[in-house]
Amino acid sequence: MDEVHFQQHGSRCRLWVPPECKDPVVLHHPTRKSVGYFGAVRLRDGKFVARRELARFDAQTTWAFLRRLRQASCRAADNAKYHHANLHAAWRETQEPAFTVAFLPPYSPELNPIERVWKLVRRLCLHNRYFPELALVSTTVETQFAHWALGSSLLVKLCSVG
C-alpha cells in the first residue's frame, strides 16, 4: 500500500526532434496541481485497488482506504506515520489474521512493490503528454487502474519479490 500524487504538468522524458528544429517547444501546464491516490496490489494475482483522495493523506483517509483494502482482501502497506495511527489500530487488530498490514522499514521505497506500479503508470499514462485540465490526469490514470482492477499478470511480474 502506498500513496502517490500525479502532477498535471505530467513528465517530460525523451523525445525525437527533427534535425532542422533547433529550438523545440514542449507544452506543459504551468501549475503544481496534482491528484492523489492510495493504491495496493495483491501479489498473488495482480489485483489492483486504488482510491482517489480528494483531501490530504492522513490517519482518517488511510483508515478509509484500509477498509476498502479489507473488502478486496489485499495485504500490503508502506510505513507512513499515519498508517500506524491509533485512530484505526483497534480496527486493524479486529481484522487479524484474515487481514494484516505488514509494515516495511521506514524510508525504503525500493522494498515496496507498489512504487514500481506508480513508475509504470507515469511511463504509460503521463510521460510526454500535455494535460490542459487536471481532470484529464485523473481520467487517464483511472482508465489504466480499471484495466488492472480484476488482476494483471503484468503487475504480478512487476511486483514479484524474491
Side-chain angles (χ1 to χ4, degrees):
M1 180 180 105
D2 196 24
E3 53 281 327
V4 67
H5 280 99
F6 295 118
Q7 303 286 329
Q8 180 175 349
H9 61 72
S11 54
R12 289 164 306 283
C13 206
R14 297 182 179 125
L15 71 136
W16 179 87
V17 179
E20 61 273 6
C21 183
K22 299 298 180 197
D23 192 20
V25 176
V26 179
L27 295 177
H28 70 91
H29 204 281
T31 182
R32 292 197 172 272
K33 292 181 182 177
S34 64
V35 290
Y37 291 90
F38 280 102
V41 175
R42 186 165 55 196
L43 299 179
R44 74 172 174 260
D45 61 4
K47 182 176 182 180
F48 183 75
V49 178
R51 178 178 180 264
R52 182 171 177 190
E53 187 48 58
L54 300 174
R56 50 182 273 196
F57 297 116
D58 59 16
Q60 193 72 36
T61 58
T62 299
W63 189 15
F65 185 67
L66 285 172
R67 290 189 304 253
R68 181 172 179 167
L69 272 180
R70 174 64 181 107
Q71 290 173 346
S73 300
C74 291
R75 300 177 186 196
D78 74 2
N79 209 15
K81 186 175 180 179
Y82 44 82
H83 294 174
H84 296 270
N86 290 333
L87 175 68
H88 46 77
W91 177 84
R92 288 192 325 263
E93 288 175 12
T94 65
Q95 302 303 308
E96 292 179 354
F99 177 76
T100 304
V101 178
F103 294 103
L104 300 171
Y107 305 107
S108 56
E110 71 280 359
L111 297 178
N112 194 347
I114 194 77
E115 295 289 348
R116 297 178 210 138
V117 176
W118 300 144
K119 185 176 181 178
L120 180 62
V121 169
R122 285 188 175 96
R123 185 166 29 102
L124 293 176
C125 303
L126 305 175
H127 281 345
N128 296 328
R129 301 222 16 223
Y130 173 65
F131 298 97
E133 298 173 13
L134 187 59
L136 293 174
V137 176
S138 296
T139 301
T140 303
V141 298
E142 288 173 14
T143 299
Q144 185 62 55
F145 294 168
H147 288 301
W148 294 334
L150 298 176
S152 166
S153 59
L154 173 65
L155 294 186
V156 170
K157 184 176 179 181
L158 185 68
C159 295
S160 63
V161 284

